[in-house]
Amino acid sequence: MIILKTRREIEIMKKAGRLVAESHELVRKHIKPGVTTKELDRLVEDFLRSRNAIPTFKGYNGFPFAICASVNDEVVHGFPSERELKEGDIISVDIGATFEGYVGDSAKTYLVGEVDEEKKHLVEATRQSFYEGIKFAKTTYRLSDISHAIQTYAESQGLSVVRDYVGHGVGKKMHESPQVPNFGKPGKGPRLQEGMVLAIEPMINAGVYNVRVLENNWTVVTVDGKPSAHYEHTVAITDGEPELLTVV
Ligand code: MG
Ligand code: MG
């Protein structure tokens, strides 16, 4: 069942979303060669707690950290660690915050110093695929119109769309119905309705779309070792244009 949100609830979700966006701004300022992903995790956790928000991921199904930090061939659910970022890396940072009982969820992929053209293209096209998708985040469309637009754009850029992980509804819980795949035929799934709130989150690979999970039972990597990027916002469906909630 898809839980529709009232205007009042969406206003609270914007507060949670803003804290996620501010966390991303902090991360962006700190990303440079030599920084460890654990430092980024600490930074975000301290910031969220200072604002009376809860880092949603910490303890979620046993996930041990406040952020997911996925470097290069890591797709999602990377563990923050003592690993130092180095020039030429890309790092996807996924952040969730719960504030006044509602969740905001957003991921971005950052460049570390000078990055090669393949990775730059991947990161930019992944971001753009999100914006291609949300052109269809309106009540005149069905859910899979978003999915189809993301896939069409990503593949037109010579990239592939991860199949095993998808976006989702968001509300009081981080993962609500419906699932929001980043691939598929258009015109399927529920018609979009005012009050739906969706985490739309293309996970795009430079090589093949196949992924596997590491021995920590969390971290997802590409099977071919090629890089992967992630771009996510929490988006409210309105009676007009979609509203991004995870922005400052
Ligand atoms: Mg996320
Ligand atoms: Mg999500």
Side-chain angles (χ1 to χ4, degrees), residues 40 42 76 229:
L40 300 175
R42 167 53 69 90
V76 287

Side-chain angles (χ1 to χ4, degrees), residues 94-240:
D94 198 349
I95 302 174
T98 306
F99 186 73
E100 296 181 0
Y102 289 85
V103 175
D105 184 11
S106 172
K108 290 182 179 176
T109 301
Y110 299 94
L111 311 180
V112 184
E114 275 302 308
V115 169
D116 70 31
E117 285 305 319
E118 181 192 44
K119 283 176 173 167
K120 253 189 222 167
H121 173 68
L122 169 68
V123 170
E124 182 45 41
T126 300
R127 178 180 179 281
Q128 188 58 36
S129 75
F130 167 87
Y131 286 98
E132 295 299 324
I134 64 166
K135 289 177 182 172
F136 296 87
K138 298 179 187 170
T139 55
T140 40
Y141 297 104
R142 288 184 182 274
L143 184 69
S144 84
D145 293 321
I146 299 173
S147 315
H148 182 71
I150 292 170
Q151 178 179 20
T152 301
Y153 181 78
E155 291 180 353
S156 80
Q157 297 300 305
L159 305 169
S160 65
V161 176
V162 172
R163 303 293 200 270
D164 294 0
Y165 298 85
V166 298
H168 49 92
V170 195
K172 289 183 178 170
K173 292 198 180 136
M174 179 160 61
H175 292 125
E176 293 184 353
S177 187
Q179 292 198 340
V180 186
N182 301 300
F183 57 93
K185 292 190 168 69
K188 311 275 183 198
R191 185 165 288 285
L192 298 171
Q193 277 184 73
E194 188 176 355
M196 286 183 181
V197 181
L198 307 172
I200 299 172
E201 52 176 314
M203 290 152 262
I204 306 293
N205 294 350
V208 298
Y209 66 72
N210 311 72
V211 299
R212 66 187 174 86
V213 179
L214 297 184
E215 298 70 36
N216 66 18
N217 282 324
W218 276 103
T219 305
V220 179
V221 299
T222 59
V223 295
D224 58 11
K226 294 202 173 164
S228 184
H230 189 191
Y231 193 88
E232 173 185 36
H233 279 293
T234 300
V235 180
I237 307 297
T238 74
D239 58 0

